[in-house]
Amino acid sequence: MYVRTSTRKTSDGRSVRYLQLAHNEWDPAVQRSRTKVLYSFGREDDLDRAGIQRLVAALSRLLDPAAAASATAPGGLEFTEARPLGGVHVLDALWRRLGIDAALRARLSGRRLGERAERILFALVANRALAPSSKLAATSWIAHDVHIDGLDTVVDEACYRAMDWLLEVEPALAEEVFHATAHLLNLEVDLLFFDTTSTYFETDEADDPVGRDEHGHRVGDDAEPVSEAGFRSFGKSKDHRDDLPQVIVGMAVTRDGIPVRCWCWPGNTADSALIRQVKADMRAWSLARVVWVADRGFASAANRRFLQQGGGHYILGEKLRGGTPAADAALSRQGRYQTVRDNLQVKEVRLAPDLADDRFVVCYNPAEAERDAATRARHVAALTELIDGTDTLPRSRRDELAGVISTKPHLKRYLRRTPGGLLRVDAAAIKTEANLDGKYLLRTSDPTLSTEDIALGYKQLLEVERGWRTMKQVIDLRPVYHRKEDRIRAHVILCWLALLHIRIIETTTGRTWPTVRDELQRLQAITYTGPAGTFRQTTTLTKTQRDLLTALDIEAPKKILDLATRG
C-alpha cells in the first residue's frame, strides 16, 4: 500500500498534483499486477492535513507503541528504539514521595559510593517489581530494556557495592519509610501482623556454622556467640523442600496489607522466639498502642509475656489438637455462636482464673466445616480400603502396613490397633475430629476488643500470606542467585521495598499489580535519531493509563524526555 501521485494540467496551464491511497493487485487474467485506488485525498494544495493526521493517529492506536512510533516518525528522523517507561515512572514517583531517595542521599553524603548508588538501588527495586532477574541480568535490563531517569547503564560490581551499603542503613531507612508510608496512607497501626516463611537454595551444601548472637547475626571475635549456625541451613521447610538449605524470612504487616519491615534469619531458626526480636526492633519506632497478631506457632507463654510488655497486647491462634489445658477447656465449653460477617460465627469463652487470664474466642465457619467433613470422609474411605481384609494377614504384614500408614498424617489419626494387633478405623477419633470441623481458636490479652474485632483481626493475617505469595510468585524472592550472607540479606530488603511499592499501588488503585504493571508498561519512551541529533519522547497516554496516574496522584511523564543536538 502506498500514496500515489498524479499530475494534471488546469485550463490556465498550471500543473496540479493529486494524491491517492493505492495498492497493487495481481490480475490472473492478464498475468500482471494492476493499480487499485483505495481512496482519493484530492488536490495536494487543498489537502485536509488535520484529517489525515487524525486518521494516522487512529490507525496507530491499533499497533504496539514501537510500531506506531516507527509509522509516525517525523520526516528526516529515524526511529531507533522503544523502551517501557510507565512502570518505572510510577515506581520512581512513589520512591520519591516516600522520601527514600532523600533518605539514601543524606546517608551517602561523604561516602565514596556517590549519589549514583541511590539510583542503582531504585533500579534494582524496580527490576524486582517489573522484570525479576539476577543482578547480572538486571544490568542488561537497565541498559537496554527500560528508561530510568538518571541512570543509563550500570555494572554488576556497582550493584553489589550498593547492596552492601543498603544492608548497613536498613534499620534507620525502614523506620523512615514506615513513618512516611503511615503519613501518606493514613495507616491504622493498631494491629500489626507477623509471620514467617522460608526460601530455599538450589544447592546440596549448607553454609559452615559460625558464631551468632541472639538475633541470628554473625558475631566478631571479641563477642561471645549465643549459637552457631550457617546462614543457609537445613531446617523445617515451609516450601516442603527439607532436602535443600534455606533461610527464614519474617515480615510485619499492617491491617491494610502494607509490609512495614522484613527480617532474615538462618534456616534452622525456630519460629517461636522470633516475634520477641521483632517487637524489640520496632520498640524505638514510638508506635502507639499495638496489638500483635500471629498464628499458633508464636503462642508460647514466653512470647505472650513479652508481647504484653509496655502495655502491648496480642491476638494469637491456639492449637486445636494437643494444645494447652486452657485451650482444651475453651473448646469443651458450651455456648451459643453469634454471626458476625463473611459466613463467620464466634463465641467467647470465659475460663476460671486458675486456668487462664486471657480471653478465648472460638470461631466457626459452616462452609469450612462442610469442606472439613468431606475431606475426612475421603481420608476414612481411603484408610478403610487399605486395611480391609488385613485380619487374615500375618502380624508382620499388618505391622508393615501400619508403618506405611504412620507416614501419612491424614490417615494415621484415624487408625486404631486392637490389643491383638488388628487394624481398625478409630470411631472415637472421627468423632473428636468432627467436633473441630470449621473451627479455630483465638487467644487475646486485650480486654477491650469485641469478639468480632478479635475474629476479624486474626482473619486479616491472610494479608501476610498474600504478601508471601506476591514475594515468591511476582517479585521472585526465589531463586536467590547469591551465596554470601550479606548479599542474601540485601536481596530480601530489595524484595521488601518492591513489595511495599506494589501494595501501596494495589491499595490505592483497587487493582492487582500484574494488571497495573501490564497497562503501565505499554507507556513507552521512544527514541528518534536524525541529522540534527537525537531526542526521546513518550507515547500518548491511554485513558486507562491516565486513570491510573490520577488515582495515584502522579503526574504524567514529560512529552520530551531527552534532547541531544549535534554540534
Side-chain angles (χ1 to χ4, degrees), residues 305-325:
R305 288 193 299 270
F306 191 88
L307 293 177
Q308 285 185 281
Q309 294 178 7
H313 288 288
Y314 55 77
I315 300 173
L316 300 173
E318 276 281 339
K319 292 182 179 179
L320 292 179
R321 303 174 183 87
T324 63

Side-chain angles (χ1 to χ4, degrees), residues 448-562:
T448 63
L449 290 174
S450 68
T451 54
E452 179 178 359
D453 288 339
I454 294 168
L456 295 179
Y458 184 80
K459 193 174 182 180
Q460 287 177 299
L461 191 60
L462 294 174
E463 290 293 345
V464 188
E465 297 177 6
R466 177 183 176 187
W468 290 137
R469 287 196 299 273
T470 302
M471 285 272 267
K472 292 183 177 182
Q473 299 174 9
V474 179
I475 301 175
D476 284 0
L477 172 67
R478 181 182 66 241
V480 183
Y481 295 98
H482 308 286
R483 59 179 180 84
K484 294 183 177 179
E485 177 174 337
D486 288 351
R487 300 277 168 79
I488 296 170
R489 291 182 182 274
H491 170 76
V492 172
I493 297 171
L494 293 174
C495 291
W496 160 62
L497 288 171
L499 179 63
L500 172 67
H501 286 71
I502 287 173
R503 291 298 294 126
I504 291 175
I505 291 171
E506 290 182 331
T507 301
T508 306
T509 64
R511 304 187 184 196
T512 64
W513 171 244
T515 300
V516 174
R517 178 192 58 200
D518 292 347
E519 183 61 41
L520 289 176
Q521 290 297 79
R522 297 185 182 103
L523 176 61
Q524 301 207 354
I526 54 178
T527 302
Y528 295 106
T529 302
T534 300
F535 77 93
R536 184 176 292 167
Q537 72 174 44
T538 61
T539 54
T540 303
L541 284 170
T542 65
K543 182 182 183 304
T544 304
Q545 292 165 354
R546 193 177 297 108
D547 291 343
L548 288 172
L549 294 177
T550 300
L552 294 166
D553 193 23
I554 294 175
E555 292 185 0
K558 297 179 295 183
K559 187 64 178 176
I560 303 298
L561 298 173
D562 297 305

Side-chain angles (χ1 to χ4, degrees), residues 83-96 119 122-131 141-142 145-151 501 505 513 516-517 519-525 549 554-555 557 561:
R83 299 187 182 187
L85 169 70
V88 164
H89 175 75
V90 166
L91 292 170
D92 201 5
L94 287 178
W95 176 271
R96 299 174 191 274
R119 288 285 80 193
F122 165 73
L124 294 178
V125 170
N127 177 255
R128 302 315 308 175
L130 296 170
W141 178 77
I142 293 167
D145 301 323
V146 72
H147 174 77
I148 296 178
D149 185 29
L151 188 67
H501 286 71
I505 291 171
W513 171 244
V516 174
R517 178 192 58 200
E519 183 61 41
L520 289 176
Q521 290 297 79
R522 297 185 182 103
L523 176 61
Q524 301 207 354
L549 294 177
I554 294 175
E555 292 185 0
L561 298 173

Side-chain angles (χ1 to χ4, degrees), residues 315 336-340 344-350 359-363 440 442 444 446-458:
I315 300 173
R336 182 169 297 177
Y337 286 98
Q338 170 193 355
T339 300
V340 286
L344 181 63
Q345 301 176 18
V346 300
K347 69 174 178 180
E348 181 172 357
V349 178
R350 297 283 186 175
R359 300 164 62 197
F360 287 84
V361 175
V362 182
C363 303
Y440 56 94
L442 305 180
T444 182
D446 194 312
T448 63
L449 290 174
S450 68
T451 54
E452 179 178 359
D453 288 339
I454 294 168
L456 295 179
Y458 184 80

